Amino acid sequence: MKYDQTMTISAYTAPGEILMITIAAGEIEQCETIEPTVAVIDLDADERVLGIEVLDRSKFDLDAVAAEYGIEMLVPEIRAAISTAKPGP
């Protein structure tokens, strides 16, 4: 799975303290749930991660999710985006 190295990973908070992380642009074809209330992973048709909706930050393990979905190399950028997340649309 390849990601464009020039892309910008971003994050914002939504009502209810949900954290929305955008990894890549694309059309969401499927979503996978990590436990019913921890997170939702948005995937394209090639099962590439487009985004992560974190529903419960206290139970969300970014390193484990990154390893499971093959995006370990993006963890530093995702952490940086999370650290600057502001209320969004």
Side-chain angles (χ1 to χ4, degrees):
M1 187 177 316
K2 292 212 173 223
Y3 285 88
D4 179 357
Q5 295 302 310
T6 64
M7 69 187 179
T8 301
I9 295 174
S10 62
Y12 67 89
T13 57
E17 294 303 310
I18 295 172
L19 179 64
M20 304 294 287
I21 304 166
T22 302
I23 307 291
E27 186 173 332
I28 298 170
E29 291 290 327
Q30 60 182 337
C31 297
E32 294 186 3
T33 303
I34 299 174
E35 295 185 28
T37 60
V38 175
V40 176
I41 312 300
D42 301 324
L43 305 168
D44 67 8
D46 297 322
E47 297 189 351
R48 185 173 74 140
V49 177
L50 300 178
I52 303 170
E53 302 167 33
V54 180
L55 308 173
D56 185 342
R57 291 187 201 193
S58 68
K59 295 181 182 176
F60 181 69
D61 183 346
L62 176 58
D63 293 320
V65 170
E68 183 174 342
Y69 288 93
I71 57 171
E72 307 89 33
M73 74 301 252
L74 301 176
V75 168
E77 290 87 355
I78 294 170
R79 287 195 195 287
I82 291 170
S83 72
T84 61
K86 304 240 185 298

